[in-house]
PDB file of all heavy atoms in Angstrom:
ATOM      1  N   PRO A  42       8.803 -14.504   0.953  1.00 86.00           N
ATOM      2  CA  PRO A  42       8.308 -14.337  -0.414  1.00 86.00           C
ATOM      3  C   PRO A  42       7.416 -13.109  -0.587  1.00 86.00           C
ATOM      4  O   PRO A  42       6.998 -12.804  -1.688  1.00 86.00           O
ATOM      5  CB  PRO A  42       7.497 -15.617  -0.631  1.00 86.00           C
ATOM      6  CG  PRO A  42       6.985 -15.949   0.735  1.00 86.00           C
ATOM      7  CD  PRO A  42       8.095 -15.543   1.672  1.00 86.00           C
ATOM      8  N   PHE A  43       7.147 -12.406   0.508  1.00 93.00           N
ATOM      9  CA  PHE A  43       6.218 -11.294   0.454  1.00 93.00           C
ATOM     10  C   PHE A  43       6.953  -9.983   0.181  1.00 93.00           C
ATOM     11  O   PHE A  43       8.082  -9.803   0.606  1.00 93.00           O
ATOM     12  CB  PHE A  43       5.443 -11.203   1.770  1.00 93.00           C
ATOM     13  CG  PHE A  43       4.770 -12.496   2.137  1.00 93.00           C
ATOM     14  CD1 PHE A  43       5.212 -13.246   3.204  1.00 93.00           C
ATOM     15  CD2 PHE A  43       3.706 -12.969   1.389  1.00 93.00           C
ATOM     16  CE1 PHE A  43       4.602 -14.440   3.545  1.00 93.00           C
ATOM     17  CE2 PHE A  43       3.083 -14.167   1.720  1.00 93.00           C
ATOM     18  CZ  PHE A  43       3.539 -14.898   2.797  1.00 93.00           C
ATOM     19  N   PRO A  44       6.276  -9.065  -0.484  1.00 94.00           N
ATOM     20  CA  PRO A  44       6.938  -7.797  -0.830  1.00 94.00           C
ATOM     21  C   PRO A  44       7.169  -6.920   0.397  1.00 94.00           C
ATOM     22  O   PRO A  44       6.371  -6.905   1.330  1.00 94.00           O
ATOM     23  CB  PRO A  44       5.942  -7.138  -1.788  1.00 94.00           C
ATOM     24  CG  PRO A  44       4.625  -7.724  -1.421  1.00 94.00           C
ATOM     25  CD  PRO A  44       4.917  -9.121  -0.969  1.00 94.00           C
ATOM     26  N   SER A  45       8.277  -6.200   0.384  1.00 94.00           N
ATOM     27  CA  SER A  45       8.576  -5.268   1.468  1.00 94.00           C
ATOM     28  C   SER A  45       8.387  -3.822   1.023  1.00 94.00           C
ATOM     29  O   SER A  45       8.576  -2.898   1.804  1.00 94.00           O
ATOM     30  CB  SER A  45       9.998  -5.484   1.983  1.00 94.00           C
ATOM     31  OG  SER A  45      10.916  -5.333   0.930  1.00 94.00           O
ATOM     32  N   SER A  46       8.020  -3.647  -0.233  1.00 95.00           N
ATOM     33  CA  SER A  46       7.743  -2.302  -0.737  1.00 95.00           C
ATOM     34  C   SER A  46       6.740  -2.402  -1.880  1.00 95.00           C
ATOM     35  O   SER A  46       6.499  -3.479  -2.421  1.00 95.00           O
ATOM     36  CB  SER A  46       9.024  -1.616  -1.208  1.00 95.00           C
ATOM     37  OG  SER A  46       9.572  -2.320  -2.312  1.00 95.00           O
ATOM     38  N   GLY A  47       6.180  -1.271  -2.234  1.00 97.00           N
ATOM     39  CA  GLY A  47       5.199  -1.228  -3.305  1.00 97.00           C
ATOM     40  C   GLY A  47       4.645   0.175  -3.446  1.00 97.00           C
ATOM     41  O   GLY A  47       5.116   1.112  -2.791  1.00 97.00           O
ATOM     42  N   PRO A  48       3.616   0.328  -4.257  1.00 97.00           N
ATOM     43  CA  PRO A  48       3.070   1.668  -4.490  1.00 97.00           C
ATOM     44  C   PRO A  48       2.357   2.214  -3.251  1.00 97.00           C
ATOM     45  O   PRO A  48       1.739   1.467  -2.498  1.00 97.00           O
ATOM     46  CB  PRO A  48       2.086   1.452  -5.642  1.00 97.00           C
ATOM     47  CG  PRO A  48       1.734   0.002  -5.586  1.00 97.00           C
ATOM     48  CD  PRO A  48       2.931  -0.702  -5.029  1.00 97.00           C
ATOM     49  N   THR A  49       2.502   3.518  -3.043  1.00 98.00           N
ATOM     50  CA  THR A  49       1.811   4.189  -1.944  1.00 98.00           C
ATOM     51  C   THR A  49       1.089   5.422  -2.468  1.00 98.00           C
ATOM     52  O   THR A  49       1.382   5.922  -3.546  1.00 98.00           O
ATOM     53  CB  THR A  49       2.782   4.625  -0.826  1.00 98.00           C
ATOM     54  OG1 THR A  49       3.752   5.507  -1.381  1.00 98.00           O
ATOM     55  CG2 THR A  49       3.457   3.436  -0.169  1.00 98.00           C
ATOM     56  N   VAL A  50       0.155   5.893  -1.663  1.00 98.00           N
ATOM     57  CA  VAL A  50      -0.607   7.094  -1.950  1.00 98.00           C
ATOM     58  C   VAL A  50      -0.709   7.863  -0.636  1.00 98.00           C
ATOM     59  O   VAL A  50      -0.716   7.261   0.439  1.00 98.00           O
ATOM     60  CB  VAL A  50      -2.006   6.750  -2.532  1.00 98.00           C
ATOM     61  CG1 VAL A  50      -2.848   5.984  -1.553  1.00 98.00           C
ATOM     62  CG2 VAL A  50      -2.714   7.963  -3.036  1.00 98.00           C
ATOM     63  N   SER A  51      -0.746   9.169  -0.690  1.00 97.00           N
ATOM     64  CA  SER A  51      -0.815   9.945   0.547  1.00 97.00           C
ATOM     65  C   SER A  51      -2.152   9.721   1.247  1.00 97.00           C
ATOM     66  O   SER A  51      -3.154   9.382   0.613  1.00 97.00           O
ATOM     67  CB  SER A  51      -0.608  11.434   0.262  1.00 97.00           C
ATOM     68  OG  SER A  51      -1.645  11.916  -0.545  1.00 97.00           O
ATOM     69  N   GLY A  52      -2.141   9.861   2.572  1.00 96.00           N
ATOM     70  CA  GLY A  52      -3.370   9.755   3.337  1.00 96.00           C
ATOM     71  C   GLY A  52      -3.507   8.455   4.082  1.00 96.00           C
ATOM     72  O   GLY A  52      -2.535   7.748   4.337  1.00 96.00           O
ATOM     73  N   SER A  53      -4.771   8.133   4.430  1.00 95.00           N
ATOM     74  CA  SER A  53      -5.076   6.971   5.258  1.00 95.00           C
ATOM     75  C   SER A  53      -5.968   5.943   4.569  1.00 95.00           C
ATOM     76  O   SER A  53      -6.424   5.005   5.206  1.00 95.00           O
ATOM     77  CB  SER A  53      -5.767   7.429   6.546  1.00 95.00           C
ATOM     78  OG  SER A  53      -4.909   8.256   7.277  1.00 95.00           O
ATOM     79  N   THR A  54      -6.231   6.132   3.278  1.00 96.00           N
ATOM     80  CA  THR A  54      -7.084   5.211   2.532  1.00 96.00           C
ATOM     81  C   THR A  54      -6.336   4.726   1.296  1.00 96.00           C
ATOM     82  O   THR A  54      -5.720   5.521   0.584  1.00 96.00           O
ATOM     83  CB  THR A  54      -8.393   5.904   2.108  1.00 96.00           C
ATOM     84  OG1 THR A  54      -9.025   6.429   3.271  1.00 96.00           O
ATOM     85  CG2 THR A  54      -9.328   4.932   1.417  1.00 96.00           C
ATOM     86  N   ALA A  55      -6.403   3.423   1.058  1.00 97.00           N
ATOM     87  CA  ALA A  55      -5.771   2.844  -0.132  1.00 97.00           C
ATOM     88  C   ALA A  55      -6.507   3.311  -1.382  1.00 97.00           C
ATOM     89  O   ALA A  55      -7.676   3.686  -1.325  1.00 97.00           O
ATOM     90  CB  ALA A  55      -5.787   1.324  -0.041  1.00 97.00           C
ATOM     91  N   SER A  56      -5.813   3.284  -2.499  1.00 97.00           N
ATOM     92  CA  SER A  56      -6.456   3.622  -3.769  1.00 97.00           C
ATOM     93  C   SER A  56      -6.232   2.492  -4.760  1.00 97.00           C
ATOM     94  O   SER A  56      -5.310   1.690  -4.612  1.00 97.00           O
ATOM     95  CB  SER A  56      -5.923   4.940  -4.324  1.00 97.00           C
ATOM     96  OG  SER A  56      -4.593   4.787  -4.778  1.00 97.00           O
ATOM     97  N   LEU A  57      -7.087   2.451  -5.758  1.00 96.00           N
ATOM     98  CA  LEU A  57      -7.045   1.379  -6.750  1.00 96.00           C
ATOM     99  C   LEU A  57      -7.029   2.000  -8.138  1.00 96.00           C
ATOM    100  O   LEU A  57      -7.873   2.843  -8.468  1.00 96.00           O
ATOM    101  CB  LEU A  57      -8.271   0.478  -6.583  1.00 96.00           C
ATOM    102  CG  LEU A  57      -8.352  -0.759  -7.448  1.00 96.00           C
ATOM    103  CD1 LEU A  57      -7.196  -1.706  -7.148  1.00 96.00           C
ATOM    104  CD2 LEU A  57      -9.678  -1.471  -7.207  1.00 96.00           C
ATOM    105  N   ARG A  58      -6.057   1.577  -8.941  1.00 95.00           N
ATOM    106  CA  ARG A  58      -5.974   2.048 -10.323  1.00 95.00           C
ATOM    107  C   ARG A  58      -5.553   0.885 -11.202  1.00 95.00           C
ATOM    108  O   ARG A  58      -4.499   0.286 -10.981  1.00 95.00           O
ATOM    109  CB  ARG A  58      -4.963   3.184 -10.441  1.00 95.00           C
ATOM    110  CG  ARG A  58      -4.893   3.729 -11.839  1.00 95.00           C
ATOM    111  CD  ARG A  58      -4.297   5.103 -11.865  1.00 95.00           C
ATOM    112  NE  ARG A  58      -4.464   5.633 -13.200  1.00 95.00           N
ATOM    113  CZ  ARG A  58      -3.478   6.053 -13.950  1.00 95.00           C
ATOM    114  NH1 ARG A  58      -2.250   6.069 -13.481  1.00 95.00           N
ATOM    115  NH2 ARG A  58      -3.709   6.500 -15.159  1.00 95.00           N
ATOM    116  N   LEU A  59      -6.419   0.560 -12.157  1.00 93.00           N
ATOM    117  CA  LEU A  59      -6.168  -0.533 -13.095  1.00 93.00           C
ATOM    118  C   LEU A  59      -5.868  -1.849 -12.368  1.00 93.00           C
ATOM    119  O   LEU A  59      -5.006  -2.614 -12.781  1.00 93.00           O
ATOM    120  CB  LEU A  59      -5.044  -0.170 -14.065  1.00 93.00           C
ATOM    121  CG  LEU A  59      -5.258   1.101 -14.901  1.00 93.00           C
ATOM    122  CD1 LEU A  59      -4.018   1.437 -15.701  1.00 93.00           C
ATOM    123  CD2 LEU A  59      -6.465   0.938 -15.822  1.00 93.00           C
ATOM    124  N   GLY A  60      -6.561  -2.089 -11.259  1.00 92.00           N
ATOM    125  CA  GLY A  60      -6.424  -3.330 -10.524  1.00 92.00           C
ATOM    126  C   GLY A  60      -5.276  -3.370  -9.536  1.00 92.00           C
ATOM    127  O   GLY A  60      -5.138  -4.329  -8.785  1.00 92.00           O
ATOM    128  N   LEU A  61      -4.431  -2.333  -9.523  1.00 97.00           N
ATOM    129  CA  LEU A  61      -3.280  -2.279  -8.637  1.00 97.00           C
ATOM    130  C   LEU A  61      -3.595  -1.359  -7.462  1.00 97.00           C
ATOM    131  O   LEU A  61      -3.976  -0.204  -7.656  1.00 97.00           O
ATOM    132  CB  LEU A  61      -2.055  -1.761  -9.392  1.00 97.00           C
ATOM    133  CG  LEU A  61      -0.744  -1.734  -8.629  1.00 97.00           C
ATOM    134  CD1 LEU A  61      -0.256  -3.158  -8.369  1.00 97.00           C
ATOM    135  CD2 LEU A  61       0.300  -0.959  -9.411  1.00 97.00           C
ATOM    136  N   ALA A  62      -3.444  -1.875  -6.253  1.00 98.00           N
ATOM    137  CA  ALA A  62      -3.726  -1.097  -5.045  1.00 98.00           C
ATOM    138  C   ALA A  62      -2.471  -0.367  -4.593  1.00 98.00           C
ATOM    139  O   ALA A  62      -1.367  -0.918  -4.625  1.00 98.00           O
ATOM    140  CB  ALA A  62      -4.226  -2.009  -3.941  1.00 98.00           C
ATOM    141  N   SER A  63      -2.662   0.856  -4.153  1.00 98.00           N
ATOM    142  CA  SER A  63      -1.594   1.641  -3.534  1.00 98.00           C
ATOM    143  C   SER A  63      -1.910   1.767  -2.056  1.00 98.00           C
ATOM    144  O   SER A  63      -3.023   2.141  -1.678  1.00 98.00           O
ATOM    145  CB  SER A  63      -1.496   3.035  -4.159  1.00 98.00           C
ATOM    146  OG  SER A  63      -1.075   2.948  -5.500  1.00 98.00           O
ATOM    147  N   ALA A  64      -0.937   1.464  -1.224  1.00 98.00           N
ATOM    148  CA  ALA A  64      -1.116   1.517   0.224  1.00 98.00           C
ATOM    149  C   ALA A  64      -1.065   2.962   0.704  1.00 98.00           C
ATOM    150  O   ALA A  64      -0.285   3.767   0.181  1.00 98.00           O
ATOM    151  CB  ALA A  64      -0.024   0.703   0.909  1.00 98.00           C
ATOM    152  N   PRO A  65      -1.887   3.294   1.694  1.00 98.00           N
ATOM    153  CA  PRO A  65      -1.835   4.656   2.223  1.00 98.00           C
ATOM    154  C   PRO A  65      -0.537   4.911   2.989  1.00 98.00           C
ATOM    155  O   PRO A  65      -0.096   4.055   3.760  1.00 98.00           O
ATOM    156  CB  PRO A  65      -3.047   4.729   3.150  1.00 98.00           C
ATOM    157  CG  PRO A  65      -3.412   3.333   3.456  1.00 98.00           C
ATOM    158  CD  PRO A  65      -2.912   2.485   2.326  1.00 98.00           C
ATOM    159  N   SER A  66       0.056   6.059   2.783  1.00 97.00           N
ATOM    160  CA  SER A  66       1.331   6.377   3.425  1.00 97.00           C
ATOM    161  C   SER A  66       1.224   6.426   4.944  1.00 97.00           C
ATOM    162  O   SER A  66       2.194   6.166   5.640  1.00 97.00           O
ATOM    163  CB  SER A  66       1.884   7.703   2.886  1.00 97.00           C
ATOM    164  OG  SER A  66       0.961   8.751   3.141  1.00 97.00           O
ATOM    165  N   HIS A  67       0.048   6.736   5.481  1.00 97.00           N
ATOM    166  CA  HIS A  67      -0.139   6.828   6.929  1.00 97.00           C
ATOM    167  C   HIS A  67      -0.423   5.472   7.583  1.00 97.00           C
ATOM    168  O   HIS A  67      -0.555   5.389   8.794  1.00 97.00           O
ATOM    169  CB  HIS A  67      -1.267   7.806   7.261  1.00 97.00           C
ATOM    170  CG  HIS A  67      -0.914   9.223   6.969  1.00 97.00           C
ATOM    171  ND1 HIS A  67      -0.989   9.756   5.699  1.00 97.00           N
ATOM    172  CD2 HIS A  67      -0.471  10.215   7.770  1.00 97.00           C
ATOM    173  CE1 HIS A  67      -0.623  11.013   5.734  1.00 97.00           C
ATOM    174  NE2 HIS A  67      -0.293  11.330   6.976  1.00 97.00           N
ATOM    175  N   ALA A  68      -0.518   4.420   6.808  1.00 98.00           N
ATOM    176  CA  ALA A  68      -0.817   3.091   7.353  1.00 98.00           C
ATOM    177  C   ALA A  68       0.418   2.485   7.999  1.00 98.00           C
ATOM    178  O   ALA A  68       1.550   2.724   7.563  1.00 98.00           O
ATOM    179  CB  ALA A  68      -1.316   2.169   6.246  1.00 98.00           C
ATOM    180  N   PRO A  69       0.224   1.650   9.011  1.00 98.00           N
ATOM    181  CA  PRO A  69       1.351   0.903   9.585  1.00 98.00           C
ATOM    182  C   PRO A  69       1.942  -0.044   8.530  1.00 98.00           C
ATOM    183  O   PRO A  69       1.242  -0.492   7.616  1.00 98.00           O
ATOM    184  CB  PRO A  69       0.723   0.106  10.726  1.00 98.00           C
ATOM    185  CG  PRO A  69      -0.582   0.768  11.008  1.00 98.00           C
ATOM    186  CD  PRO A  69      -1.030   1.392   9.725  1.00 98.00           C
ATOM    187  N   LEU A  70       3.219  -0.371   8.679  1.00 98.00           N
ATOM    188  CA  LEU A  70       3.902  -1.228   7.712  1.00 98.00           C
ATOM    189  C   LEU A  70       3.185  -2.557   7.479  1.00 98.00           C
ATOM    190  O   LEU A  70       3.074  -2.989   6.325  1.00 98.00           O
ATOM    191  CB  LEU A  70       5.359  -1.466   8.120  1.00 98.00           C
ATOM    192  CG  LEU A  70       6.191  -2.288   7.129  1.00 98.00           C
ATOM    193  CD1 LEU A  70       6.212  -1.637   5.736  1.00 98.00           C
ATOM    194  CD2 LEU A  70       7.605  -2.469   7.657  1.00 98.00           C
ATOM    195  N   PRO A  71       2.660  -3.252   8.500  1.00 98.00           N
ATOM    196  CA  PRO A  71       1.949  -4.502   8.220  1.00 98.00           C
ATOM    197  C   PRO A  71       0.761  -4.318   7.267  1.00 98.00           C
ATOM    198  O   PRO A  71       0.492  -5.181   6.434  1.00 98.00           O
ATOM    199  CB  PRO A  71       1.479  -4.969   9.601  1.00 98.00           C
ATOM    200  CG  PRO A  71       2.450  -4.366  10.557  1.00 98.00           C
ATOM    201  CD  PRO A  71       2.786  -3.026   9.956  1.00 98.00           C
ATOM    202  N   VAL A  72       0.080  -3.201   7.354  1.00 98.00           N
ATOM    203  CA  VAL A  72      -1.052  -2.920   6.461  1.00 98.00           C
ATOM    204  C   VAL A  72      -0.545  -2.720   5.039  1.00 98.00           C
ATOM    205  O   VAL A  72      -1.107  -3.269   4.080  1.00 98.00           O
ATOM    206  CB  VAL A  72      -1.838  -1.689   6.959  1.00 98.00           C
ATOM    207  CG1 VAL A  72      -2.927  -1.296   5.971  1.00 98.00           C
ATOM    208  CG2 VAL A  72      -2.413  -1.950   8.340  1.00 98.00           C
ATOM    209  N   LYS A  73       0.517  -1.966   4.898  1.00 98.00           N
ATOM    210  CA  LYS A  73       1.109  -1.749   3.570  1.00 98.00           C
ATOM    211  C   LYS A  73       1.536  -3.082   2.961  1.00 98.00           C
ATOM    212  O   LYS A  73       1.258  -3.361   1.791  1.00 98.00           O
ATOM    213  CB  LYS A  73       2.309  -0.807   3.671  1.00 98.00           C
ATOM    214  CG  LYS A  73       1.948   0.609   4.034  1.00 98.00           C
ATOM    215  CD  LYS A  73       3.210   1.448   4.208  1.00 98.00           C
ATOM    216  CE  LYS A  73       2.868   2.841   4.693  1.00 98.00           C
ATOM    217  NZ  LYS A  73       4.072   3.623   4.972  1.00 98.00           N
ATOM    218  N   ARG A  74       2.195  -3.916   3.761  1.00 98.00           N
ATOM    219  CA  ARG A  74       2.665  -5.209   3.247  1.00 98.00           C
ATOM    220  C   ARG A  74       1.501  -6.107   2.839  1.00 98.00           C
ATOM    221  O   ARG A  74       1.596  -6.839   1.848  1.00 98.00           O
ATOM    222  CB  ARG A  74       3.548  -5.896   4.277  1.00 98.00           C
ATOM    223  CG  ARG A  74       4.904  -5.164   4.422  1.00 98.00           C
ATOM    224  CD  ARG A  74       5.914  -5.956   5.147  1.00 98.00           C
ATOM    225  NE  ARG A  74       6.231  -7.136   4.337  1.00 98.00           N
ATOM    226  CZ  ARG A  74       7.157  -8.013   4.643  1.00 98.00           C
ATOM    227  NH1 ARG A  74       7.859  -7.875   5.729  1.00 98.00           N
ATOM    228  NH2 ARG A  74       7.387  -9.056   3.879  1.00 98.00           N
ATOM    229  N   ALA A  75       0.399  -6.060   3.572  1.00 98.00           N
ATOM    230  CA  ALA A  75      -0.787  -6.841   3.201  1.00 98.00           C
ATOM    231  C   ALA A  75      -1.317  -6.379   1.847  1.00 98.00           C
ATOM    232  O   ALA A  75      -1.693  -7.200   0.998  1.00 98.00           O
ATOM    233  CB  ALA A  75      -1.864  -6.721   4.277  1.00 98.00           C
TER     234      ALA A  75
END
């Protein structure tokens, strides 16, 4: 039931816009999925 894709942002730090988090592109896949 968990997402396998979503918004990303370049770098190593997540970003937040209007309550929606973008995973950092340099993060491992488990971090992005979380």
Side-chain angles (χ1 to χ4, degrees):
F43 306 110
S45 57
S46 64
T49 59
V50 63
S51 64
S53 298
T54 305
S56 71
L57 185 62
R58 182 160 189 237
L59 302 174
L61 184 69
S63 293
S66 60
H67 290 81
L70 183 58
V72 174
K73 292 176 185 175
R74 290 194 65 175

